[in-house]
Amino acid sequence: MSRPTYLEAVKGLNILTTLSRYDPHVAGTPPLGLDVPTSDIDILCHALDLDRFTTHVWNAFNSSADFRIWQWSGGDKPVIAAFKAEGWQFEIFGQARPVEQQRGWRHFLVEQRLIRLGGKDFVEAVMAFRRSGMKTEPAFAAALDMEGDPYELLFDIASLDEDALVGFLHKAGYI
């Protein structure tokens, strides 16, 4: 049996309404069109009060399959919850930083831009790496022939203009 689309799953779970006070944004591979069977749906949230956010997420989703929630001990100590619902794995990420400033959102936006600029051949290359088991950021870095920490590399190029991104794509043979 196939699972619903990510949009159907998000709507069916009513997750954006449930988390509306935290400015939820859907990110990750499904909205990029790069999902594989193991992909999850990422929901990025702005949570100034992490204790209140944790309680809210716990109350809303703790009865979901495989529910777990934890808090990182480093940085600004974001909270992450993960669970299964609507045929998908969900991951909710809450941080005291506005979503637009979060690394995950910045990665997502530059990935969108690279897909738009790089076209079909670039998408096929990224998907080949994804199907081989790579996570999203490593797959993008590999498709662009970039060496180093893929998460840092994508964060570093997120603020570049279109011409600079086209330069990366051109150097890797896509444009």
Side-chain angles (χ1 to χ4, degrees):
M1 185 173 135
S2 65
R3 64 183 175 181
T5 68
Y6 84 92
L7 288 172
E8 292 167 337
V10 166
K11 184 177 180 183
L13 190 57
N14 200 31
I15 195 166
L16 298 180
T17 300
T18 302
L19 297 173
S20 63
R21 71 178 72 164
Y22 301 105
D23 189 28
H25 287 57
V26 180
T29 56
L32 292 172
L34 300 174
D35 53 304
V36 295
T38 57
S39 293
D40 61 6
I41 299 172
D42 296 317
I43 310 292
L44 308 178
C45 297
H46 178 206
L48 287 173
D49 183 337
L50 292 171
D51 291 333
R52 182 176 173 191
F53 175 76
T54 301
T55 300
H56 185 90
V57 170
W58 175 270
N59 290 336
F61 303 109
N62 76 58
S63 63
S64 299
D66 298 335
F67 180 86
R68 56 202 186 285
I69 192 165
W70 65 96
Q71 185 171 24
W72 288 358
S73 59
D76 55 0
K77 300 184 179 183
V79 170
I80 300 94
F83 56 89
K84 291 180 184 174
E86 302 290 325
W88 285 82
Q89 178 75 29
F90 280 82
E91 187 169 286
I92 302 170
F93 183 87
Q95 190 173 25
R97 173 182 314 212
V99 173
E100 292 78 11
Q101 295 174 15
Q102 292 179 18
R103 294 177 80 84
W105 187 250
R106 304 258 327 249
H107 286 165
F108 176 72
L109 292 180
V110 75
E111 290 160 359
Q112 274 186 326
R113 293 169 62 208
L114 287 164
I115 287 169
R116 181 175 45 79
L117 295 168
K120 183 180 173 214
D121 289 343
F122 179 68
V123 170
E124 288 177 7
V126 172
M127 280 306 295
F129 287 113
R130 295 275 298 130
R131 282 190 288 275
S132 76
M134 276 191 187
K135 295 279 193 184
T136 307
E137 287 79 359
F140 270 83
L144 291 169
D145 294 324
M146 299 174 83
E147 293 188 21
D149 180 332
Y151 299 92
E152 290 300 320
L153 294 167
L154 282 177
F155 184 76
D156 290 345
I157 68 170
S159 60
L160 298 178
D161 64 18
E162 304 294 295
D163 290 337
L165 293 179
V166 166
F168 280 103
L169 290 160
H170 179 73
K171 183 179 176 189
Y174 299 104
I175 297 178

